[in-house]
Amino acid sequence: MRLTRSDRNEATTRPRLTGEKLTTREFRGLAGTVGGYPYVKIVLDRTESVLHFIDSADGTLHVRYIACEILGMSIDELARGLDSFNDDVYRNPDRRFCLGTLALHDRRGSAFLSLETVDVDTMSQDMLRAFYHRVRAHIDPALPLLLKPANHRQEAYVAGIPESEIPRVLSHELYSTASFVPLNAGEAHGRLRVFRSEAEYRADPEPLEWHDIVVMPRVPEDVPRVSGIIHTEHTTPLSHINVMAAGWRIPNAVGIDAVDRIERAGLAGRWVHYRVDADGSDLHLEAAPPRTEGAAPTPPAERVTVDRPDRTPTPVTALSDLRAGDHVRFGTKAANLGELTHLLQQGSPRWLGFYRVPRPPRADLLRYLARQLGLPEHADEAELDTAAQRLVKEHAHVPRGIVLPFSLQQRFLDSSAELREALDRLDSALLNGTSGPSTGTAGTGADAAAAAQLEELCRAAQQLIRATPLPDPIRTEIDRALDRHLYGAPLVVVRSSSNAEDLPGFSAAGLYESVANVSGPDAVLAAVREVWASLLSPRAVLLRQQAGIPLDHCGMGVIVQEQVGAAVGGVLVTCNPLSPQDFRDVYVNISPRSVTEVVTGQGAPLQYLCNTMEGGSRTVSLGTDGTDLDPATKDLVGRLALISRLLQSHFSPDESYADPVDIEWAIEGDRIDLLQLRPFRTAAR
């Protein structure tokens, strides 16, 4: 065994200490930290029969250590042959080196080490078994060593080995016991509002204000804009409230024991400084003075620019006839679905964009895509494009539907003098600054009265929209479009599609209404009015006002779409929101019941990371149900992840192809239904 400690004053020569067993003290002396866990990288040289424990505090990469410290290569030599070098250490069945990481954990007061390879490693069962035993032989016997499978393939291997021979811990088991998960990095100065349940939050007579930092088990999606969030139960980064928090650029984290810590420190109800670090091991809270007089009286929101809605008379249109540029007449969601429908049939000249981008020292990533598409590594771009289109067309589908344009909403609003007067009153109140509390401490009586007036005006306008009959010409146009394009559909979903959503600094995730399980023309028309009314909910109006979006700049299109059955459904984003530097993985949230459960945070979803470079996937969390997917569905989710990466390329706003997309999806049999696609806005973007 070699315990290798780097000498940061020398580039290639490192003194070594030799010992028989790695103790906890020696481990900590070599350890770096990632995700709150101390870790040490290790390399087994099978040819020399030497196990290297590497000083990991400086983040030295495995391959760099092997190349420079064992093989005597220069950095330039490694860079020129990096892909073939990686293939040799991660994929070669006769490899010389086995690479892994030891991490130190504490579970219920008992320390143990986990041994893990990288997720792209293709070690066989026998090699994985031998690697574990070799490492175990050089660890202090008093320190338990558990194998942590790095992907679903390794989980299957380990399932065939008696646990008495190789004890193991799965990724989702560690995730479910983690006391801290950073969801969005940032800092805030605000007042702590602590609730032990949602019922306690709903019963509190004092409303949340923008400067509050809310602490509760799972923050509900209808919470107003606040300055910080702490969930005391595990949740997903892809719930509506967590997506909104990223758009607001506020600190957001899971802190399981936060309430007890806050109460012990006497911080409940007090002003604090709150910080979340992306690579931190815990959230930071400390007492701070209240906001000083004269400080900014309103939330520090960016002023958001929207494209003015085009209300030129436009007919109800089939979803398949829309393209991305139609967002000014039908809304972003509808335009993206129309573009998506076109892509599935006609393909895209931008399919390969993400994989064409250089990632030095690699000129591009096309050889990785070729592997995922089942082609030779050096397939040309024409072959890659054909295979990509075949994959998408074989598996992906957009349910048929129609879209009601902004102009139809305007015709309806103009049909009633009472409606026009209600909107004029609301618009006047907003222009005169009636937008709720404006002080940094508890709201004054005038503030409370202003907030109550705004809410009353919004709800009155909403109720009028729900109650006002549609004029016969509008009703006839919708009925004819339903009959022509949705004949035979027993159930439809009526979805919102506004221009005031999916914007930089204003995602509006979950802000507007969608109505599922709708059957019959009268029910469709009632659902359409419900979607139109959601544009004027008190929360939607206030959040847009804070973002500087005028009421008359907002339009609401409506998608009426065939409702599809699903064995599983969920949401994915083409990035890893918990690790922004990760360009390989797509983050997938899965529910066995409905997409709604994922985005509303009603239950913790099954969570996957799917590698769209080397392939493979791993389970991050089993969620509320506690059961994983069957192998066939796992395989289909992997195909979905690869398809989503191709779609990211097409929808990218520039030639960097770096902007991730958020996709809602459902799987039934071997068919993947794509229900929504939008940009995924993170605080880093």
Side-chain angles (χ1 to χ4, degrees):
M1 177 181 73
R2 290 177 182 169
L3 301 180
T4 306
R5 189 178 306 276
S6 64
D7 183 341
R8 291 175 177 79
N9 295 318
E10 299 182 24
T12 58
T13 303
R14 298 184 178 196
R16 289 165 179 165
L17 304 174
T18 301
E20 288 304 316
K21 305 288 184 184
L22 182 73
T23 65
T24 303
R25 180 178 179 181
E26 289 170 327
F27 177 94
R28 291 191 180 279
L30 295 169
T33 302
V34 63
Y37 295 110
Y39 75 96
V40 170
K41 293 177 180 176
I42 60 175
V43 172
L44 172 62
D45 185 339
R46 300 170 73 201
T47 300
E48 298 293 328
S49 192
V50 173
L51 182 63
H52 298 254
F53 291 78
I54 307 169
D55 181 351
S56 300
D58 60 358
T60 299
L61 299 176
H62 283 102
V63 292
R64 180 167 178 166
Y65 175 80
I66 293 169
C68 299
E69 304 301 326
I70 299 178
L71 301 179
M73 296 170 60
S74 70
I75 293 297
D76 289 342
E77 286 178 293
L78 174 62
R80 286 194 296 270
L82 182 60
D83 281 338
S84 60
F85 195 95
N86 281 335
D87 282 348
D88 189 59
V89 297
Y90 294 127
R91 299 171 64 86
N92 187 348
D94 299 318
R95 70 189 71 175
R96 174 179 171 180
F97 300 104
C98 291
L99 285 57
T101 300
L102 293 169
L104 184 63
H105 307 269
D106 188 293
R107 186 162 60 181
R108 294 184 291 275
S110 298
F112 69 92
L113 288 176
S114 66
L115 171 64
E116 182 179 16
T117 72
V118 296
D119 65 308
V120 301
D121 201 303
T122 62
M123 282 188 193
S124 66
Q125 184 186 54
D126 288 342
M127 190 180 295
L128 195 64
R129 186 181 224 151
F131 186 40
Y132 170 84
H133 285 300
R134 185 60 186 273
V135 176
R136 172 70 276 180
H138 290 287
I139 301 290
D140 184 342
L143 191 57
L145 177 66
L146 280 63
L147 183 63
K148 180 187 173 190
N151 49 47
H152 288 139
R153 180 181 58 253
Q154 287 190 5
E155 287 184 14
Y157 289 162
V158 173
I161 302 173
E163 191 160 1
S164 58
E165 177 188 348
I166 298 183
R168 73 288 311 257
V169 61
L170 303 181
S171 295
H172 65 80
E173 293 173 328
L174 289 177
Y175 180 87
S176 65
T177 59
S179 61
F180 169 71
V181 179
L183 298 174
N184 197 58
E187 296 185 63
H189 174 221
R191 180 181 56 165
L192 272 181
R193 300 287 302 281
V194 180
F195 307 97
R196 288 190 173 272
S197 67
E198 184 173 343
E200 183 178 314
Y201 161 68
R202 301 289 181 195
D204 194 302
E206 183 181 354
L208 289 174
E209 298 186 52
W210 70 264
H211 56 255
D212 286 334
I213 297 167
V214 61
V215 185
M216 60 190 299
R218 286 189 190 145
V219 176
E221 65 172 354
D222 62 353
V223 73
R225 181 178 176 131
V226 290
S227 289
I229 289 174
I230 301 173
H231 304 268
T232 60
E233 292 181 0
H234 282 286
T235 181
T236 168
L238 304 189
S239 71
H240 283 152
I241 185 58
N242 292 330
V243 172
M244 291 283 278
W248 293 335
R249 293 174 170 81
I250 63 173
N252 182 17
V254 174
I256 298 299
D257 59 351
V259 171
D260 291 339
R261 291 168 55 189
I262 288 167
E263 291 188 348
R264 285 197 302 271
L267 294 177
R270 294 179 59 186
W271 284 73
V272 299
H273 179 252
Y274 169 40
R275 188 177 86 248
V276 175
D277 298 323
D279 57 353
S281 58
D282 203 351
L283 55 84
H284 299 269
L285 283 173
E286 57 183 19
R291 188 178 66 84
T292 58
E293 291 298 324
T298 55
E302 295 181 11
R303 311 309 286 177
V304 175
T305 301
V306 300
D307 291 329
R308 292 288 294 268
D310 182 350
R311 297 187 173 95
T312 303
T314 303
V316 176
T317 303
L319 190 61
S320 57
D321 290 339
L322 299 190
R323 297 293 179 271
D326 290 319
H327 67 280
V328 294
R329 292 183 296 147
F330 294 92
T332 306
K333 194 180 300 180
N336 284 347
L337 279 175
E339 181 77 9
L340 190 52
T341 304
H342 177 72
L343 290 182
L344 300 188
Q345 296 303 316
Q346 304 300 324
S348 169
R350 294 164 59 86
W351 279 144
L352 312 183
F354 176 85
Y355 293 91
R356 284 197 189 108
V357 175
R359 291 190 182 271
R362 303 173 183 86
D364 58 58
L365 306 174
L366 292 173
R367 69 194 296 261
Y368 293 93
L369 176 59
R371 283 178 182 169
Q372 298 311 306
L373 294 172
L375 297 176
E377 286 191 3
H378 300 294
D380 62 34
E381 291 199 12
E383 293 174 296
L384 290 170
D385 186 76
T386 299
Q389 175 64 11
R390 184 168 56 246
L391 172 72
V392 173
K393 197 166 185 176
E394 180 180 351
H395 292 288
H397 177 260
V398 176
R400 58 187 172 146
I402 59 173
V403 189
L404 281 57
F406 296 156
S407 62
L408 198 73
Q409 177 202 26
Q410 191 62 49
R411 284 168 56 193
F412 167 69
L413 297 176
D414 290 343
S415 70
S416 165
E418 192 176 7
L419 260 177
R420 290 198 304 272
E421 291 170 3
L423 292 176
D424 286 344
R425 287 193 294 272
L426 176 57
D427 196 34
S428 176
L430 291 169
L431 289 173
N432 291 328
T434 306
S435 57
S438 60
T439 63
T441 56
T444 65
D447 291 329
Q453 180 192 0
L454 180 69
E455 181 168 348
E456 181 181 350
L457 290 171
C458 288
R459 296 200 184 283
Q462 284 188 288
Q463 189 54 40
L464 275 174
I465 290 172
R466 296 185 185 107
T468 301
L470 270 71
D472 287 341
I474 294 179
R475 181 184 183 111
T476 299
E477 184 176 351
I478 296 173
D479 284 346
R480 286 176 176 171
L482 289 170
D483 185 60
R484 180 179 178 187
H485 298 289
L486 284 166
Y487 57 87
L491 292 173
V492 297
V493 180
V494 182
R495 304 179 188 275
S496 59
S497 179
S498 175
N499 65 323
E501 61 183 334
D502 301 333
L503 302 168
F506 193 77
S507 78
L511 193 59
Y512 307 124
E513 194 67 61
S514 291
V515 185
N517 301 306
V518 179
S519 178
D522 289 340
V524 168
L525 298 180
V528 166
R529 289 195 295 270
E530 189 65 42
V531 171
W532 281 338
S534 69
L535 189 69
L536 301 178
S537 73
R539 182 169 181 258
V541 168
L542 180 57
L543 289 176
R544 289 197 306 267
Q545 179 80 348
Q546 291 171 345
I549 303 174
L551 182 60
D552 65 351
H553 287 199
C554 302
M556 179 62 78
V558 182
I559 304 166
V560 184
Q561 196 172 21
E562 182 175 17
Q563 184 166 316
V564 295
V568 294
V571 179
L572 68 80
V573 291
T574 55
C575 64
N576 180 353
L578 301 180
S579 181
Q581 73 278 8
D582 177 3
F583 65 90
R584 289 175 161 82
D585 287 316
V586 165
Y587 189 77
V588 187
N589 281 196
I590 305 162
S591 168
R593 283 172 292 275
S594 72
V595 177
T596 303
E597 284 195 357
V598 175
V599 296
T600 61
Q602 293 174 9
L606 183 66
Q607 300 176 48
Y608 276 13
L609 283 171
C610 296
N611 188 316
T612 58
M613 292 278 289
E614 292 88 356
S617 58
R618 61 190 185 275
T619 304
V620 177
S621 171
L622 288 182
T624 303
D625 285 356
T627 56
D628 212 336
L629 300 178
D630 61 85
T633 308
K634 284 181 182 176
D635 180 68
L636 201 53
V637 169
R639 294 174 189 268
L640 168 63
L642 185 58
I643 289 169
S644 74
R645 188 69 84 192
L646 301 174
L647 296 177
Q648 173 183 339
S649 294
H650 178 85
F651 283 91
S652 178
D654 56 43
E655 301 310 308
S656 73
Y657 303 102
D659 288 43
V661 293
D662 171 327
I663 298 174
E664 292 186 12
W665 55 272
I667 288 177
E668 180 70 26
D670 62 354
R671 187 176 81 171
I672 302 168
D673 285 299
L674 304 178
L675 309 177
Q676 179 175 310
L677 183 147
R678 61 187 178 187
F680 182 65
R681 312 287 186 183
T682 67
R685 297 182 184 277

